[in-house]
Amino acid sequence: MRVLVVQAHPHPGSFNHAICEAAVEALQANGHVVDRIDLYAEGFAAAMSAAERLAYESDQPILSEHVRRHAALVTRADAMVFVYPTWWFGLPAVLKGWLDRVMVPGVAFRLDQKTNKVKRGLTNVRRIAGITTYGSSRRNVALMSDGGRRTIGRCVRLMAHTRCRRTWLGMYGMDRSSDADRKLFLERVAKVLGAW
């Protein structure tokens, strides 16, 4: 299986980067081919430009070569893994911007010319995983409706294959976690993705 791992954390020494390493290592150890995008390391621009917005509904919605390379990785992927910290109960801006700029018509979905209804574009994707850290407790995250989980687990999943399976791994209470807690979470990530 070819797996695209999209990472969104600005600090290379962060626990989030350790999570991403554990995920990539587990996937590769299980024989999967892994393509990795580190949005901050690449300097990915989150904001959609006015020209991109105008092009969005055209036959050529992607104007940037950088975005075009990412879209090509998406269209080749059998699975996608998103690794990020939850900030303000949602996705980091760079990851939301990545979805805005990469998951455009012709990549994530298509519009039926007759009915103008959305048709799935990511039928190649049969597995999606979200791996995130939360500063808050599970209860507080649930009260706020977990925006990132809804975006990835519902919206992105809706564009994938009809039998696409979802995996969600969240480390709650990150701000109060111990070294032992973080070690256990890394082991859980490795175990779950190693079973793919």
Side-chain angles (χ1 to χ4, degrees), residues 75 148 159-160 183:
T75 58
M159 298 300 109
K183 182 175 183 285

Side-chain angles (χ1 to χ4, degrees), residues 60-72:
Q60 299 295 322
I62 297 176
L63 304 179
S64 158
E65 185 56 38
H66 192 182
V67 173
R68 195 172 287 112
R69 282 195 314 272
H70 287 200

Side-chain angles (χ1 to χ4, degrees), residues 112-123:
D112 184 287
Q113 296 297 320
K114 294 179 183 173
T115 65
N116 209 31
K117 290 186 178 177
V118 173
K119 293 194 175 267
R120 297 170 192 268
L122 299 177
T123 55

Side-chain angles (χ1 to χ4, degrees), residues 51-53 55-64 67-68 101 104-107:
E52 286 174 316
R53 181 60 192 102
Y56 188 86
E57 295 175 26
S58 74
D59 291 340
Q60 299 295 322
I62 297 176
L63 304 179
S64 158
V67 173
R68 195 172 287 112
R101 296 182 68 214
V104 296
V107 178

